[in-house]
Amino acid sequence: MSTVLTVPKNGQKESRDRGISTLPRFSSWFDNFFDNDLGTGFLSNFNTGMTLPAVNIKEDAEQFTLEIAVPGMKKSDFNVDVDNKILSISSETQSEKSEKEENYTRREFGYSSFKRTFTLPDSVNSDKIKAIYKEGILSVILPKKEEAKEKPAKRIEIS
């Protein structure tokens, strides 16, 4: 099978006259700059925020448990709120570091935040929700209402 037309990355048709060398177009040079390691490395220095943390949700007969992996934080960095069956878990942190030497001053600062919200089912007793932060894991325990808890099977006697 032969190639009829080669289309470069930027979508413009490639010249069929291969005898004439051409300089790269600005748009292809710009695209290539951000494809190599220099471009992505340069841009990654500006990504100091936190990505949205994943949540594991477990259920047993007594409760739901949400587990969020957020290492390197303090329990005072979190806000856990319930309002009209909406559970909100958020965090906002700022850091600043500066060094002064004879010939230079270096200052670094950062900011990160996230917010996750969940609609609680009617079976959750929102007055008894607890949150625990231990070893980089935020656990939010959502106890079920008494009437929503699974009851053990029982045998019915026939009279």
Side-chain angles (χ1 to χ4, degrees), residues 74-120:
K74 302 177 296 229
K75 66 180 180 178
S76 61
D77 293 336
F78 299 102
N79 295 312
V80 180
D81 301 302
V82 177
D83 185 24
N84 283 337
K85 295 185 184 180
I86 303 293
L87 173 70
S88 299
I89 302 169
S90 61
S91 175
E92 194 172 317
T93 59
Q94 296 179 2
S95 64
E96 187 171 329
K97 177 183 170 183
S98 61
E99 295 178 22
K100 291 189 178 200
E101 296 289 331
E102 285 182 29
N103 299 334
Y104 71 92
T105 300
R106 181 174 113 178
R107 183 173 170 233
E108 294 183 4
F109 57 92
Y111 173 84
S112 63
S113 68
F114 75 87
K115 183 173 185 176
R116 297 289 310 256
T117 58
F118 304 89
T119 301
L120 298 177

Side-chain angles (χ1 to χ4, degrees), residues 54-67:
V55 176
N56 292 332
I57 301 175
K58 297 188 293 187
E59 179 183 9
D60 60 32
E62 300 291 316
Q63 65 195 19
F64 297 95
T65 304
L66 285 86
E67 296 176 330

Side-chain angles (χ1 to χ4, degrees), residues 27-47:
S27 62
S28 66
W29 175 83
F30 191 75
D31 288 342
N32 290 338
F33 175 77
F34 287 103
D35 282 344
N36 68 23
D37 290 336
L38 174 64
T40 55
F42 176 74
L43 290 176
S44 69
N45 289 332
F46 292 103
N47 184 15

Side-chain angles (χ1 to χ4, degrees), residues 1-61:
M1 176 178 238
S2 66
T3 303
V4 176
L5 179 68
T6 305
V7 180
K9 182 177 177 183
N10 62 6
Q12 296 181 1
K13 293 181 182 177
E14 184 175 276
S15 172
R16 287 200 168 282
D17 186 2
R18 300 205 190 272
I20 301 173
S21 70
T22 59
L23 292 174
R25 291 177 302 283
F26 177 74
S27 62
S28 66
W29 175 83
F30 191 75
D31 288 342
N32 290 338
F33 175 77
F34 287 103
D35 282 344
N36 68 23
D37 290 336
L38 174 64
T40 55
F42 176 74
L43 290 176
S44 69
N45 289 332
F46 292 103
N47 184 15
T48 59
M50 178 183 294
T51 59
L52 197 60
V55 176
N56 292 332
I57 301 175
K58 297 188 293 187
E59 179 183 9
D60 60 32

